């Protein structure tokens, strides 16, 4: 008997698309790609929606966010190097997207 590659059953077939749909503000009808999280179609769909959410968040005009999922503002190159889309987060001036090296962890991070 061959084992299934992914879990199956009512909970597995229903819950993940609904959770992704909630994060992406899909409402009751979720994109069919969300039923196949391992697929390129799903990755492309989530990347497109999350990138648009970042652009809305980082834009000059304040807008209502369409979804709760936002792309982290970096680009990863094929050679593994990264660079930020912009230098700082728009809602936290001085908060460098790449971060900074530090020998210690600030107290507010550990309390």
């Amino acid at each position: 008997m061959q084992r299934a590659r992914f879990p199956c059953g009512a909970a597995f077939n229903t819950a993940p698309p609904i959770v992704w749909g909630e994060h992406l503000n899909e409402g009751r009808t979720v994109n069919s790609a969300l039923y196949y999280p391992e697929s390129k179609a799903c990755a492309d769909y989530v990347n497109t929606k999350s990138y648009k959410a970042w652009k809305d968040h980082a834009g000059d005009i304040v807008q209502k966010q369409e979804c709760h999922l936002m792309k982290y503002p970096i680009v990863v190159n094929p050679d593994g190097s990264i660079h930020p889309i912009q230098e700082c987060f728009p809602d936290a001036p001085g908060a460098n997207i790449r971060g900074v090296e530090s020998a210690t962890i600030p107290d507010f991070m550990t309390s």
Side-chain angles (χ1 to χ4, degrees), residues 92-110:
N96 191 318
I97 288 173
R98 291 189 76 166
V100 294
E101 289 187 29
S102 176
T104 61
I105 297 174
D107 289 338
F108 74 90
M109 297 285 288
T110 60

Side-chain angles (χ1 to χ4, degrees), residues 7 9-38 42 45-46 69:
F12 178 79
N13 290 330
T14 305
I18 290 173
V19 171
W20 279 112
E22 177 65 28
H23 287 304
L24 297 169
N25 196 25
E26 295 284 300
R28 291 179 170 247
T29 347
V30 298
N31 185 293
S32 61
L34 298 176
Y35 284 91
Y36 306 96
E38 74 283 2
C42 182
Y45 183 73
V46 171
L69 190 65

Side-chain angles (χ1 to χ4, degrees), residues 43-110:
D44 290 345
Y45 183 73
V46 171
N47 282 334
T48 299
K49 293 276 286 196
S50 62
Y51 183 72
K52 182 183 180 323
W54 167 256
K55 295 301 276 182
D56 290 347
H57 176 71
D60 293 333
I61 299 169
V62 177
Q63 300 182 46
K64 183 177 187 283
Q65 290 297 115
E66 283 186 23
C67 65
H68 308 146
L69 190 65
M70 200 179 309
K71 178 178 176 18
Y72 198 78
I74 61 169
V75 173
V76 180
N77 296 317
D79 65 359
S81 62
I82 64 168
H83 68 276
I85 292 173
Q86 63 188 57
E87 290 304 314
C88 294
F89 290 98
D91 54 350
N96 191 318
I97 288 173
R98 291 189 76 166
V100 294
E101 289 187 29
S102 176
T104 61
I105 297 174
D107 289 338
F108 74 90
M109 297 285 288
T110 60

